[in-house]
Amino acid sequence: MEYGGSFRLKVRHIIFDYNTFPARLFDLVLIGAIVLSVLVVMLDSVQSLHADYGRLFYILEWFFTVLFSIEYVMRLYAAESRVRYARSIFGIIDLLAILPTYFSLFFPGTQYLLVIRFFRVLRIFRLMKLMRFVQEGEYVKEALIASSRKIIFFLFFVLVTVSIIGALMYLIEGEAHGFGSIPEGVYWAIVTITTVGYGDIYPQTVVGRMLAAMLMIAGYSIIAVPTGIVSAEMASMHTKIDKGVKGDEKCCSSVEHDRDARFCKECGRPLEGRNGVQEKGPITP
Amino acid sequence: MEYGGSFRLKVRHIIFDYNTFPARLFDLVLIGAIVLSVLVVMLDSVQSLHADYGRLFYILEWFFTVLFSIEYVMRLYAAESRVRYARSIFGIIDLLAILPTYFSLFFPGTQYLLVIRFFRVLRIFRLMKLMRFVQEGEYVKEALIASSRKIIFFLFFVLVTVSIIGALMYLIEGEAHGFGSIPEGVYWAIVTITTVGYGDIYPQTVVGRMLAAMLMIAGYSIIAVPTGIVSAEMASMHTKIDKGVKGDEKCCSSVEHDRDARFCKECGRPLEGRNGVQEKGPITP
Amino acid sequence: MEYGGSFRLKVRHIIFDYNTFPARLFDLVLIGAIVLSVLVVMLDSVQSLHADYGRLFYILEWFFTVLFSIEYVMRLYAAESRVRYARSIFGIIDLLAILPTYFSLFFPGTQYLLVIRFFRVLRIFRLMKLMRFVQEGEYVKEALIASSRKIIFFLFFVLVTVSIIGALMYLIEGEAHGFGSIPEGVYWAIVTITTVGYGDIYPQTVVGRMLAAMLMIAGYSIIAVPTGIVSAEMASMHTKIDKGVKGDEKCCSSVEHDRDARFCKECGRPLEGRNGVQEKGPITP
Amino acid sequence: MEYGGSFRLKVRHIIFDYNTFPARLFDLVLIGAIVLSVLVVMLDSVQSLHADYGRLFYILEWFFTVLFSIEYVMRLYAAESRVRYARSIFGIIDLLAILPTYFSLFFPGTQYLLVIRFFRVLRIFRLMKLMRFVQEGEYVKEALIASSRKIIFFLFFVLVTVSIIGALMYLIEGEAHGFGSIPEGVYWAIVTITTVGYGDIYPQTVVGRMLAAMLMIAGYSIIAVPTGIVSAEMASMHTKIDKGVKGDEKCCSSVEHDRDARFCKECGRPLEGRNGVQEKGPITP
């Protein structure tokens, strides 16, 4: 069917692309609807508001559920590969975000699962693309990827530390002081090393406090490690960007000439008008 | 009216400029008065002090109000464009800072609004100009502006994270453990991811604590992101300042002369008008 | 005995090396067993789980103890120098990790010492070698070593600060407000300067709060020092890596060839043996 | 008196210098005594220890007081300018550190002032010189001095922010929720913006929590500013150190040649053996 195919193609462009005006408008409206639907779930969870506006929230919930159902069907209809969309993370979230409302008709209480709808907020990163935040996202992402292995290593180190300290604190403080088990000790150690410090569990013996003080100072100092890793990575990326900007002459492919280069470091071509060196031949060995 | 005009001009110079001695003196006295008036409001809010010195504070409050009223009228009189000043943020703050005291004559209780006077403290940044803190302010400001988009992106990411985790914690912990609604869960997540950790709300179930531990470690690690962004930005600005980006003399193409250079380090040409060295030939070995 | 010697050599390769497949498999299985044994100790410390699964945990504990005993004997048997292994930190931990279970047969309660087994988790850093995390570990380690003296100096500064402030707070707040002794004051100062802030001890007088506020802002600001130290160190290491410090060919004096350079960017000489380019002349324009 | 003069000189060398062996030994012993005397004051403040060892602590206190009295007299005797020493900060601390014990003979309770003795611990930074920590200290000090103006600007910004937010929170939350006065609100704002978060005062209204959340995220983000400032400063110092190391040729005074320089940027002398340029005269304009 010629017409159907072209209609499906049109829908696909609107739903899955973000270059044309209708596609952008669709994304904008969708994200607005997601944020509003999430706000409704949020406010409905406040008891005083639920008592006064529960009926309104109920209607809005159904409105958004129907809306997102239509959207889901449209996506399924228009997707290049329906199976791939249905199995993709976003596809599953899209489905899970609408099911709870229907379930709540038969099983009271399942509307709690509406919290899954919050994951749809992740689509907001798509909005960022519209707002031309792509570069910033890429920048942060690249720096994180480049330093991910170092950060994983660091997290491993933190995990080993909190396991050992947590177990020791369980021995030292014991149940009487709130350290009811080793996992609780480990939880306390994480709360402490990250400098969160709720104060629901805290050491009370002298030895426990000394160990805690050491852990705190350690936590305070080693925060420098991930920060240093990411800073160094970003500074390095910066330098490359700064250098790249001025490489206007192109000799061979995509090489960016360093600021102080007199010859192309890739092909040896003397860079004219650079450093006062003009047409001088390269010094051959 | 020739005389009036020149008087207005004189007042304008004193009030709005900060180059001449009287203008600086005016700024200094004004900021002193603002800080003192704010201190009076502050101390008056302490009940024990209010009981003992309430009368003195009342008199001082009126003194500063009359003083700031005169200042406001003078500003209106002397401003180049009265409408623009009256509508500017500082103009509105200046007006709002004096109104509550007058209102309190008719409506008891409105003196609470004196807190608006605290916003006048923002004028202290004008004092910084006097103290030649301009460069520092510019430096910090530039670095923040240059990295603002990246930081907005980062904050978006934090917001999405705390929304999802906050909603999950509401499901997991529930009202019995202090998570009375999703907004409260989100508030807890913000308190946790920023490592503030009041301890007014905290998880008590095993699953809740595991999720909290993950959030803490995430918060502890991702603090590296904004820090890295600003560090890299500042390091980049530093490099530019060190290299003296504004080196205007060009001798051999694209070389940037170092700030302390008296001769071009690439071709040996003496840099005229630099460090008192003019047309002196280079010292040959 | 020829055979015994070669068997011992084989065992040694499997236990102490990590290059061959069996050696890697051994390490992997061992670390898996350590993590499981630690989990058993952890879960057994939770009272509700101990009540239900205490018997299972008891059996597993003995299983791992016997397993680790065999491992210890094998290590002793195969070690190049038995005395050196037995006296090494890992050797002592390996022994201490199995003793408590045997002791608990005679002295009830000593199984608490099983917490020592947690230190075996440190062997996980050996697993990191398997996962090729060596470089990341080296990187972090080098940066920390390079900045260790500066960080020790910084910690000294923090210690002196918390001692003085802790003593002052004891004087100001006194026992009535939770500052029962100077060591408690110092403990509070550490909790505050590291921004942990449990809230078990906190100032309540006006002067105490002012001093606390100053300490907080100090702690908030001086976190910049270790972070700055490590960041600068890492950035410096980065720069060296980027520039390829090990560029051994020297053509024109002190130029360091960039890692991706095929020709010297200063004199145009082709870099032999670099990027597969050998003796090819530079491409002249 | 020739002999007396030379004896005084000898004493001065031992007490005030730190190059010779006896001078170093004196410093080491003195700092050991200071740390011990401070520990005695610390432990004596713990009630349970005071009950058991109070007598021992009393004797030790007198021992250290007499020791430090002798030291003070020696310093006064040997100082180049007695008045200058007596009026210097260390001179005043040295005196104040011994007076309380004598006073306690006549006025019971004044031994509390022994806390002043803690300030003597600052002499530990002298020990650092012995341990060759001078460079590290200088490094950290220089970086802090170089960035001090920026950090003061930043602290000003923080102060203005906490004043305004603290006053607003007093209005919003009021006395019922622990915000008894504006200064308390400001104290809370400092506890929050520095991410300490004791939890002794915390917002309970919806608007208060929203403002608090904004303040937390602000505090979490702006920590990046001082960190970035110090990091950039240290990275810049690093670069200079890295560069300086290789500048072996000395032409005019203390100039360090940049790595890529072919001519001295101070005197225009061509740098022999540098960049393949030998004895070529500088290009004159």
Side-chain angles (χ1 to χ4, degrees):
Chain A
M1 198 166 72
E2 197 62 44
Y3 173 76
S6 92
F7 176 72
R8 201 182 140 200
L9 216 74
K10 223 169 155 184
V11 172
R12 187 187 302 161
H13 277 312
I14 291 173
I15 294 183
F16 290 98
D17 287 4
Y18 62 98
N19 297 321
T20 60
F21 177 73
R24 288 183 182 209
L25 194 71
F26 173 80
D27 269 348
L28 215 66
V29 169
L30 176 63
I31 285 157
I34 290 172
V35 168
L36 283 178
S37 78
V38 156
L39 275 178
V40 167
V41 176
M42 244 187 200
L43 296 176
D44 195 30
S45 77
V46 182
Q47 289 207 323
S48 61
L49 293 175
H50 180 76
D52 291 356
Y53 306 101
R55 205 177 171 74
L56 174 67
F57 291 147
Y58 185 76
I59 294 166
L60 283 172
E61 203 179 292
W62 271 105
F63 169 75
F64 285 119
T65 302
V66 170
L67 199 77
F68 293 154
S69 302
I70 295 169
E71 182 219 341
Y72 183 70
V73 170
M74 291 302 273
R75 278 186 192 272
L76 259 191
Y77 165 72
E80 211 161 345
S81 162
R82 279 157 194 178
V83 178
R84 218 192 313 155
Y85 166 67
R87 284 184 183 171
S88 74
I89 296 173
F90 272 116
I92 292 165
I93 291 174
D94 289 352
L95 181 61
L96 287 177
I98 50 175
L99 287 185
T101 321
Y102 295 116
F103 280 176
S104 69
L105 285 179
F106 312 104
F107 315 99
T110 44
Q111 74 271 23
Y112 277 119
L113 298 175
L114 269 177
V115 162
I116 298 162
R117 190 166 284 171
F118 275 74
F119 285 98
R120 292 211 77 187
V121 179
L122 289 170
R123 277 205 185 270
I124 223 156
F125 288 114
R126 200 177 160 80
L127 182 70
M128 306 234 101
K129 277 190 194 162
L130 296 180
M131 289 163 70
R132 294 194 197 141
F133 266 99
V134 190
Q135 221 189 346
E136 278 74 25
E138 284 304 309
Y139 178 84
V140 171
K141 215 172 83 185
E142 242 179 75
L144 286 182
I145 286 171
S147 47
S148 63
R149 283 178 70 88
K150 279 167 218 141
I151 285 185
I152 287 169
F153 181 82
F154 168 75
L155 289 182
F156 240 100
F157 178 80
V158 167
L159 269 181
V160 170
T161 306
V162 297
S163 298
I164 292 174
I165 303 273
L168 284 177
M169 285 303 277
Y170 165 70
L171 265 200
I172 294 166
E173 294 282 331
E175 209 174 335
H177 296 155
F179 293 78
S181 65
I182 295 180
E184 271 189 89
V186 173
Y187 170 71
W188 166 85
I190 293 173
V191 170
T192 299
I193 207 173
T194 57
T195 78
V196 171
Y198 286 132
D200 53 342
I201 314 172
Y202 53 86
Q204 288 164 53
T205 65
V206 172
V207 182
R209 283 183 168 178
M210 282 169 70
L211 197 64
M214 274 161 55
L215 186 66
M216 281 172 218
I217 289 177
Y220 186 56
S221 303
I222 64 176
I223 182 71
V225 174
T227 308
I229 290 167
V230 177
S231 292
E233 205 61 63
M234 283 181 171
S236 164
M237 282 164 63
H238 245 274
T239 313
K240 277 171 200 159
I241 293 166
D242 283 2
K243 270 186 188 173
V245 167
K246 281 165 193 164
D248 27 78
E249 309 98 327
K250 295 268 170 200
C251 53
C252 49
S253 70
S254 64
V255 186
E256 287 161 352
H257 302 306
D258 292 339
R259 242 194 312 207
D260 56 344
R262 288 163 58 217
F263 295 88
C264 172
K265 69 182 174 184
E266 198 68 19
C267 66
R269 194 178 69 84
L271 301 173
E272 292 177 40
R274 275 255 187 146
N275 301 14
V277 180
Q278 276 158 329
E279 304 291 343
K280 264 196 285 183
I283 300 150
T284 44
Chain B
M1 199 165 69
E2 197 63 42
Y3 172 75
S6 92
F7 176 72
R8 202 183 140 199
L9 215 72
K10 223 167 155 184
V11 173
R12 186 188 300 161
H13 277 313
I14 290 173
I15 294 183
F16 290 98
D17 286 5
Y18 62 99
N19 297 321
T20 60
F21 176 73
R24 287 183 183 209
L25 193 71
F26 173 79
D27 269 349
L28 215 66
V29 169
L30 176 64
I31 285 156
I34 290 172
V35 168
L36 283 177
S37 77
V38 155
L39 275 178
V40 167
V41 176
M42 245 186 199
L43 296 177
D44 196 32
S45 76
V46 182
Q47 290 207 323
S48 61
L49 293 176
H50 180 76
D52 291 355
Y53 306 101
R55 206 179 167 73
L56 173 69
F57 291 147
Y58 185 77
I59 294 165
L60 284 172
E61 203 179 293
W62 271 106
F63 169 75
F64 286 119
T65 302
V66 169
L67 199 78
F68 293 154
S69 302
I70 295 168
E71 182 218 341
Y72 184 69
V73 171
M74 292 302 273
R75 278 186 192 272
L76 260 191
Y77 165 72
E80 211 161 345
S81 161
R82 281 157 193 178
V83 178
R84 220 191 311 155
Y85 165 68
R87 282 184 184 172
S88 73
I89 295 173
F90 273 117
I92 292 165
I93 291 174
D94 289 351
L95 181 62
L96 287 176
I98 49 175
L99 287 185
T101 321
Y102 295 116
F103 280 176
S104 68
L105 286 178
F106 311 103
F107 315 99
T110 43
Q111 75 270 25
Y112 276 119
L113 298 175
L114 269 176
V115 162
I116 298 162
R117 190 167 284 172
F118 275 73
F119 285 99
R120 291 211 78 187
V121 179
L122 289 170
R123 278 205 184 269
I124 222 155
F125 288 114
R126 199 177 162 80
L127 182 69
M128 307 234 100
K129 276 190 194 163
L130 296 180
M131 289 162 70
R132 296 199 197 137
F133 266 100
V134 191
Q135 222 189 345
E136 279 72 26
E138 283 305 309
Y139 178 84
V140 172
K141 215 171 84 186
E142 242 178 75
L144 286 181
I145 286 171
S147 46
S148 63
R149 282 179 70 88
K150 280 169 216 140
I151 286 186
I152 287 170
F153 181 83
F154 168 75
L155 289 181
F156 240 100
F157 178 80
V158 167
L159 268 181
V160 169
T161 307
V162 297
S163 298
I164 292 173
I165 304 276
L168 284 176
M169 287 301 278
Y170 165 70
L171 265 200
I172 295 167
E173 294 283 331
E175 208 174 334
H177 296 156
F179 293 78
S181 64
I182 295 181
E184 271 189 89
V186 173
Y187 170 71
W188 167 85
I190 293 173
V191 170
T192 299
I193 207 173
T194 57
T195 80
V196 171
Y198 287 131
D200 53 342
I201 314 172
Y202 53 86
Q204 288 164 56
T205 66
V206 172
V207 182
R209 283 183 170 179
M210 283 170 69
L211 196 64
M214 275 162 53
L215 186 65
M216 281 172 219
I217 289 177
Y220 186 55
S221 304
I222 63 176
I223 182 72
V225 174
T227 307
I229 291 167
V230 176
S231 292
E233 204 62 61
M234 283 181 172
S236 163
M237 281 164 65
H238 245 273
T239 313
K240 277 172 200 158
I241 291 167
D242 284 1
K243 292 222 171 161
V245 164
K246 277 155 200 169
D248 23 79
E249 308 97 330
K250 297 268 172 199
C251 51
C252 46
S253 68
S254 65
V255 185
E256 286 162 354
H257 303 306
D258 293 337
R259 234 190 327 198
D260 55 345
R262 287 162 59 216
F263 295 88
C264 172
K265 69 180 175 185
E266 200 68 18
C267 67
R269 195 179 69 84
L271 302 172
E272 293 177 39
R274 277 260 188 138
N275 300 15
V277 182
Q278 276 158 329
E279 304 291 345
K280 263 196 285 185
I283 300 151
T284 43
Chain C
M1 199 167 67
E2 196 64 41
Y3 172 74
S6 92
F7 176 72
R8 200 181 142 201
L9 215 72
K10 223 168 153 185
V11 172
R12 187 188 301 160
H13 278 312
I14 291 173
I15 294 184
F16 289 98
D17 286 4
Y18 63 98
N19 297 322
T20 61
F21 176 74
R24 286 183 184 210
L25 193 69
F26 173 81
D27 269 349
L28 215 66
V29 169
L30 176 64
I31 284 157
I34 290 172
V35 168
L36 284 177
S37 78
V38 155
L39 274 179
V40 166
V41 176
M42 244 186 200
L43 296 176
D44 195 31
S45 75
V46 182
Q47 290 207 325
S48 61
L49 293 175
H50 180 76
D52 292 356
Y53 304 102
R55 206 177 168 74
L56 174 68
F57 291 148
Y58 186 75
I59 294 166
L60 283 172
E61 203 179 292
W62 271 105
F63 170 75
F64 285 119
T65 302
V66 169
L67 199 78
F68 294 155
S69 302
I70 295 169
E71 183 219 340
Y72 185 69
V73 170
M74 291 301 273
R75 278 186 191 272
L76 259 191
Y77 165 73
E80 211 160 345
S81 162
R82 280 156 195 179
V83 179
R84 219 191 313 154
Y85 166 68
R87 284 186 183 169
S88 73
I89 295 174
F90 272 117
I92 292 165
I93 291 174
D94 289 351
L95 181 62
L96 287 177
I98 51 176
L99 287 184
T101 321
Y102 294 116
F103 280 177
S104 69
L105 286 178
F106 311 104
F107 314 99
T110 44
Q111 75 271 21
Y112 276 119
L113 298 175
L114 269 176
V115 162
I116 297 162
R117 190 166 284 169
F118 276 73
F119 285 99
R120 290 211 78 187
V121 179
L122 289 170
R123 277 206 186 268
I124 222 156
F125 288 114
R126 199 177 160 81
L127 183 69
M128 306 234 100
K129 277 190 192 162
L130 297 179
M131 290 162 70
R132 297 199 195 136
F133 266 99
V134 190
Q135 220 189 347
E136 278 73 25
E138 284 304 309
Y139 178 84
V140 171
K141 215 171 83 185
E142 241 178 75
L144 285 181
I145 286 171
S147 47
S148 63
R149 283 178 69 89
K150 279 167 217 141
I151 285 186
I152 287 170
F153 181 83
F154 168 74
L155 288 181
F156 240 102
F157 179 80
V158 168
L159 269 182
V160 169
T161 307
V162 296
S163 298
I164 292 173
I165 303 274
L168 284 176
M169 286 302 276
Y170 165 70
L171 265 200
I172 295 167
E173 294 283 331
E175 210 175 333
H177 296 156
F179 293 78
S181 64
I182 295 180
E184 271 190 90
V186 173
Y187 170 71
W188 166 86
I190 293 173
V191 170
T192 299
I193 207 173
T194 58
T195 79
V196 171
Y198 286 132
D200 53 342
I201 314 173
Y202 52 85
Q204 289 163 55
T205 65
V206 172
V207 181
R209 284 185 168 176
M210 282 170 71
L211 196 64
M214 274 161 55
L215 185 66
M216 281 171 219
I217 289 177
Y220 186 56
S221 303
I222 64 176
I223 182 70
V225 174
T227 308
I229 290 167
V230 177
S231 292
E233 205 61 60
M234 284 182 170
S236 163
M237 282 165 65
H238 245 273
T239 312
K240 277 171 199 158
I241 293 167
D242 284 1
K243 291 223 170 160
V245 164
K246 278 154 199 168
D248 24 80
E249 309 98 328
K250 295 268 169 198
C251 52
C252 45
S253 68
S254 64
V255 184
E256 285 163 353
H257 302 305
D258 293 338
R259 234 191 327 198
D260 55 345
R262 288 162 60 216
F263 295 87
C264 172
K265 70 180 176 186
E266 199 69 15
C267 67
R269 195 178 68 85
L271 301 172
E272 292 177 41
R274 276 258 188 139
N275 300 14
V277 181
Q278 276 157 328
E279 303 291 345
K280 264 196 285 183
I283 300 151
T284 43
Chain D
M1 198 165 72
E2 195 64 41
Y3 172 77
S6 93
F7 176 72
R8 199 181 143 201
L9 215 73
K10 224 168 153 184
V11 172
R12 187 187 300 161
H13 277 312
I14 291 173
I15 294 184
F16 289 98
D17 285 5
Y18 63 99
N19 297 322
T20 61
F21 177 72
R24 286 184 183 208
L25 193 72
F26 173 81
D27 269 349
L28 216 65
V29 170
L30 176 64
I31 285 157
I34 290 173
V35 168
L36 283 177
S37 77
V38 154
L39 275 179
V40 167
V41 177
M42 245 187 199
L43 296 177
D44 195 32
S45 77
V46 182
Q47 290 207 323
S48 61
L49 293 175
H50 180 76
D52 291 355
Y53 306 101
R55 204 174 170 75
L56 174 68
F57 291 147
Y58 186 76
I59 294 165
L60 284 172
E61 202 179 293
W62 270 105
F63 169 74
F64 285 119
T65 302
V66 170
L67 200 79
F68 293 155
S69 302
I70 295 167
E71 183 219 340
Y72 185 69
V73 170
M74 292 301 273
R75 277 186 192 272
L76 259 191
Y77 164 72
E80 210 160 346
S81 162
R82 280 156 195 178
V83 178
R84 219 192 310 156
Y85 166 67
R87 283 185 183 170
S88 74
I89 296 173
F90 272 115
I92 292 165
I93 292 174
D94 289 350
L95 181 63
L96 288 177
I98 50 175
L99 287 184
T101 320
Y102 295 115
F103 281 176
S104 69
L105 286 178
F106 311 103
F107 314 99
T110 43
Q111 75 271 23
Y112 276 119
L113 298 175
L114 268 177
V115 162
I116 297 162
R117 190 167 285 169
F118 275 72
F119 285 99
R120 291 212 77 187
V121 179
L122 289 171
R123 278 206 186 269
I124 223 155
F125 288 114
R126 199 175 162 81
L127 182 71
M128 307 235 99
K129 277 190 193 164
L130 296 179
M131 290 163 69
R132 296 199 196 136
F133 265 100
V134 190
Q135 222 189 345
E136 279 73 25
E138 284 304 309
Y139 178 84
V140 171
K141 214 171 85 183
E142 241 178 74
L144 286 181
I145 286 171
S147 46
S148 63
R149 282 179 70 89
K150 280 168 216 140
I151 286 186
I152 287 170
F153 182 83
F154 168 74
L155 288 181
F156 240 101
F157 179 80
V158 167
L159 268 182
V160 170
T161 306
V162 296
S163 297
I164 292 174
I165 304 275
L168 284 177
M169 285 302 276
Y170 165 70
L171 265 200
I172 295 166
E173 294 283 330
E175 209 174 335
H177 296 155
F179 293 78
S181 64
I182 294 180
E184 271 190 89
V186 173
Y187 170 71
W188 166 86
I190 293 173
V191 170
T192 299
I193 207 174
T194 58
T195 79
V196 171
Y198 286 131
D200 53 342
I201 314 172
Y202 52 86
Q204 289 165 54
T205 65
V206 172
V207 182
R209 284 184 169 179
M210 284 171 69
L211 196 63
M214 275 161 54
L215 186 65
M216 281 171 218
I217 289 177
Y220 186 56
S221 305
I222 64 176
I223 182 71
V225 174
T227 308
I229 290 168
V230 176
S231 292
E233 205 62 60
M234 284 181 171
S236 163
M237 280 164 65
H238 245 274
T239 314
K240 277 172 200 157
I241 292 166
D242 283 1
K243 270 187 188 173
V245 167
K246 283 167 193 163
D248 26 80
E249 309 99 328
K250 294 267 170 201
C251 54
C252 48
S253 68
S254 63
V255 186
E256 286 161 353
H257 302 305
D258 292 339
R259 244 193 313 204
D260 55 343
R262 289 163 59 218
F263 296 88
C264 172
K265 69 182 174 185
E266 199 69 16
C267 66
R269 193 178 69 85
L271 301 173
E272 292 177 40
R274 275 251 187 151
N275 301 14
V277 181
Q278 277 158 328
E279 304 291 345
K280 264 196 284 182
I283 301 150
T284 43

